Every structure is written in C-alpha cells, then in structure tokens.
Amino acid sequence: QVQLVESGGGLVQPGGSLRLSCVASGFRMDSYSIGWFRQAPGKKREEVSCVSSNGQYTNSAASVKGRFTISKDIAENTVYLQMHGLKLEDRAVYYCARGPTWAAMCRLHDIFYDFWGKGTQVTVSS
C-alpha cells in the first residue's frame, strides 16, 4: 500500500527555519520523482519543489528559490524540504506527493502526481 507521511511542520517566526520530512512506504523513492506542494487558506494548491527519482535533479518555484532546498535520502526512503528565511506568505499546509518514474527530471505541476500525503501545517507568525 502506497503511503506518504509528512512531518516537521510547526510555528516559526519570520526569518526562521523548518525542515519537513516525507516518509514513503509501499514503494521505493529511488524509483519515483517526489514533489512538495502547499495550500494556504482560501488559495489554490501551488507547487513548491520537486526532485527526480535519482535525486540528482531538482526544481523549485520562483517564490522559494534560494530559500528552500529539497533533497532525497534513498536509504531512509525520505524526502526533505529544508526551509530557510520563512515569510508570512509561506504559511500553508505542505503536502508531498509521488510523481512519475523520471530519473533525471521532475515537473512542478500536480497533474503528474498520483499519491499524496495528508499534509503538515507550517505557520509563520510574529
């Protein structure tokens, strides 16, 4: 059974950092690309970052480039999203999702993702 479980969210002040984790079961992360998405209250879901199945290619939305880093630990079957310089507008529920079996690329569009976790809340507030 395919499952993705996010953790690591919480309350942080502007400028602070958090590291989100996405643990997979039922499949191997080195066979699939993985993406992070987020949804703020009253807004549509938006892409954040993605990583290819081999972990060598990443891509991020312009709004988080230079602040967020996605990485994959194949041994732990986990994908991380390291977030620095958090802003008020980063407040959202963050979801990880399983993408296609692309070794050297990933896409920042949710139509490519088939299984989703339940999300973890990130709140940025002073």
Side-chain angles (χ1 to χ4, degrees):
Q1 181 181 358
V2 173
Q3 278 193 318
L4 295 156
V5 179
E6 305 94 337
S7 63
L11 173 64
V12 65
Q13 292 185 334
S17 300
L18 282 174
R19 188 177 78 158
L20 306 184
S21 300
C22 170
V23 179
S25 58
F27 71 98
R28 290 171 54 117
M29 277 202 173
D30 59 356
S31 296
Y32 292 86
S33 57
I34 300 293
W36 281 98
F37 297 81
R38 67 187 182 186
Q39 188 166 20
K43 295 189 176 181
K44 57 184 279 189
R45 185 169 60 196
E46 63 175 354
E47 64 277 2
V48 177
S49 296
C50 65
V51 59
S52 62
S53 62
N54 65 8
Q56 298 302 307
Y57 174 86
T58 64
N59 195 12
S60 293
S63 59
V64 306
K65 270 185 179 175
R67 301 188 297 123
F68 292 9
T69 302
I70 189 171
S71 62
K72 179 180 281 189
D73 186 331
I74 291 172
E76 296 293 325
N77 221 34
T78 300
V79 168
Y80 299 101
L81 184 69
Q82 178 68 58
M83 306 186 293
H84 294 298
L86 283 161
K87 304 177 180 180
L88 295 175
E89 53 263 39
D90 294 319
R91 177 191 176 192
V93 178
Y94 284 70
Y95 302 89
C96 64
R98 190 183 78 168
T101 57
W102 293 333
M105 67 174 291
C106 62
R107 298 293 292 272
L108 285 172
H109 197 300
D110 58 7
I111 62 170
F112 294 103
Y113 295 81
D114 56 3
F115 285 93
W116 294 74
K118 290 181 168 34
T120 185
Q121 176 72 52
V122 171
T123 301
V124 185
S125 175
S126 55

